[in-house]
Amino acid sequence: MAKEEEKPKVKLPDSEYQGVWIFIEQRNGKITPVSLELLGEGRKLADKLGVELSGVLLGYKVGHLVDTLYQYGADTVYLIDDPVLEQYRSEAYQVGVVDVVKKYKPEILLFGATVIGRDLASTVATELGTGLTADTTRLDIDMKNRLLEASRPAMGGNIMATILCKEKRPQMASVRPKVFKAIKPVEGRKGKLIEETINLNEEDLKTKVIEVIQEVSDKIRLGDADIIVAGGKGLQDEKGFQLIRDLAKELGAAVGASRDAVEAGWAEHSEQVGQTGTTVAPKLYFAIGISGAVQHTVGMENSEIVVAINRDPNAQIFEKCTYGIVGDAFEIVPKFIEEFKKLAK
Ligand code: FAD
């Protein structure tokens, strides 16, 4: 047993570190949904701690977004508006965020676990010499010690680990999109704007953006879909998996897949739902021929309605569904397609 003096000491944060901050990610002047979701969750944390909630917004000609941030819960917005921030570049955004963090000292700083958020959070944490919990799925406050509790799946998804950053500030975490809900915006809600400048010129930056090529796809993106039809190893082969695509097409839904279906080559990685894929929260989620391993369900359990089809009555997926159908996907799915076709006429 550890001796009294060897127990880790909880150093209460320096009182100069105060407030909950959200990095507001915008692309082409539009706020990403995860930033609004984080303002919703950040509001709860800030209220618990009795501190302000702030958004930190970087970009060029993005001032028009500030009012939206107040409406979604921010008390204060820190804005850096500069041509060097027009397109995301780690170097420039890192300098901007680190400078305002050093100046205003928030106790908590959250990022969306998007491609940009993941990149930026790690460079900011390294530069500040503080800890970062990546891909968090639950946040809370240990009120006794005034610590952020950031939880995420660990050990192959078999346990949830709660990670604390006891001695460094700010406490940082990235959070997956669709894990939390944005609040209903409050029309006319106002806040405080603090404008900062960035001490960088285009010539200081090693990275140049030559061209931005927008991905053109007629597929519905998993993260944006209201309905997802997801298939797993139970579909047996690529031809079987085509049933998932046919049903999705009929419903105007996005296609999802378990990792095993992706590894079998029937679906793309961008279609994978779960711990190492995308986290989704559609209105309706079909899980067809999917066993319901925790690494899959952690990515879809916030869906409003889940319909599971599995021929094994003991499949774990039935513990996570709203409606469960025990039966053969190859009999049931074609009937669904037929019925939805009739409804569409
Ligand atoms: P199986 O577990 O093989 O299940 C197939 C199911 O289909 C069974 O329940 C079976 O009863 C049913 N079935 C069979 N035939 C039929 C039929 N004719 N009609 C109806 N039902 C039928 N998995 C993910 O999905 N996403 C992730 O992000 C992910 N990340 C992971 C990360 C780590 C670190 C690890 C270790 C694993 C991860 N996995 C992930 C893998 C996960 O543990 C499971 O192996 C995987 O989800 C299983 O896929 P499945 O349900 O399609 O296949």
Side-chain angles (χ1 to χ4, degrees):
M1 210 174 92
K3 286 187 212 144
E4 193 62 30
E5 62 271 21
E6 285 172 0
K7 280 186 189 163
K9 290 191 187 78
V10 178
K11 183 172 170 277
L12 286 175
D14 221 300
S15 59
E16 61 178 340
Y17 282 91
Q18 276 209 359
V20 177
W21 278 25
I22 310 298
F23 170 70
I24 305 298
E25 182 180 330
Q26 56 80 24
R27 294 188 191 187
N28 303 322
K30 285 204 183 103
I31 302 168
T32 54
V34 68
S35 304
L36 302 179
E37 292 157 20
L38 283 182
L39 282 175
E41 188 62 15
R43 185 70 266 165
K44 290 185 205 155
L45 302 176
D47 289 347
K48 260 194 171 178
L49 289 164
V51 294
E52 274 196 355
L53 172 68
S54 304
V56 54
L57 172 64
L58 277 68
Y60 183 46
K61 297 187 176 162
V62 289
H64 62 285
L65 302 175
V66 170
D67 279 343
T68 308
L69 303 177
Y70 300 144
Q71 288 167 14
Y72 278 88
D75 301 309
T76 300
V77 175
Y78 295 89
L79 171 68
I80 312 181
D81 203 289
D82 193 287
V84 293
L85 300 168
E86 183 166 11
Q87 300 294 344
Y88 175 76
R89 282 175 287 180
S90 320
E91 279 172 288
Y93 272 63
Q94 187 233 55
V95 169
V97 174
V98 167
D99 282 355
V100 276
V101 167
K102 281 186 176 163
K103 185 165 173 188
Y104 295 98
K105 299 184 168 53
E107 61 197 292
I108 292 172
L109 174 57
L110 305 175
F111 294 77
T114 58
V115 174
I116 288 178
R118 283 183 171 143
D119 178 62
L120 183 61
S122 55
T123 59
V124 168
T126 308
E127 189 62 27
L128 293 170
T130 188
L132 166 69
T133 306
D135 273 10
T136 311
T137 54
R138 196 184 68 90
L139 294 169
D140 207 348
I141 302 289
D142 164 4
M143 285 306 288
K144 195 164 149 243
N145 298 307
R146 206 185 167 88
L147 284 169
L148 176 71
E149 296 180 329
S151 305
R152 54 154 295 148
M155 305 277 186
N158 290 318
I159 59 160
M160 283 295 279
T162 298
I163 297 163
L164 307 173
C165 178
K166 289 183 173 174
E167 295 190 359
K168 303 282 183 172
R169 291 294 174 271
Q171 304 159 88
M172 287 180 53
S174 66
V175 180
R176 285 189 161 213
K178 302 270 183 183
V179 171
F180 297 120
K181 281 202 163 71
I183 60 163
K184 251 180 110 191
V186 180
E187 198 70 37
R189 187 176 180 275
K190 288 283 168 217
K192 189 166 70 191
L193 176 64
I194 297 180
E195 291 186 74
E196 287 291 332
T197 50
I198 189 163
N199 195 15
L200 268 185
N201 293 315
E202 192 55 47
E203 301 74 61
D204 302 326
L205 294 167
K206 292 187 209 85
T207 329
K208 308 283 170 214
V209 179
I210 295 164
E211 192 186 355
V212 178
I213 300 165
Q214 299 286 347
E215 188 189 6
V216 184
S217 167
D218 53 3
K219 279 189 198 160
I220 302 167
R221 275 166 45 92
L222 256 192
D224 301 334
D226 280 340
I227 308 176
I228 295 173
V229 181
K233 207 62 195 291
L235 275 307
Q236 285 168 21
D237 52 25
E238 196 167 2
K239 195 165 156 258
F241 199 86
Q242 187 56 40
L243 275 180
I244 299 296
R245 300 195 184 281
D246 293 346
L247 179 56
K249 196 170 165 214
E250 209 48 56
L251 292 171
V255 171
S258 70
R259 189 170 88 167
D260 286 23
V262 172
E263 282 177 352
W266 312 336
E268 291 166 26
H269 182 260
S270 60
E271 294 172 323
Q272 184 178 317
V273 173
Q275 189 186 324
T276 42
T278 305
T279 303
V280 297
K283 293 197 169 83
L284 178 59
Y285 187 87
F286 286 89
I288 304 173
I290 292 178
S291 58
V294 63
Q295 296 90 354
H296 184 82
T297 56
V298 79
M300 47 64 76
E301 61 195 355
N302 287 334
S303 307
E304 274 175 42
I305 295 174
V306 176
V307 178
I309 304 174
N310 198 302
R311 66 177 180 194
D312 173 6
N314 298 315
Q316 267 174 285
I317 194 71
F318 289 128
E319 287 162 30
K320 297 281 177 189
C321 72
T322 325
Y323 303 103
I325 303 171
V326 179
D328 189 335
F330 294 101
E331 286 173 22
I332 297 162
V333 178
K335 285 192 181 134
F336 269 26
I337 296 172
E338 209 181 294
E339 289 304 314
F340 286 125
K341 270 197 175 131
K342 279 188 212 158
L343 282 174
K345 274 184 191 158

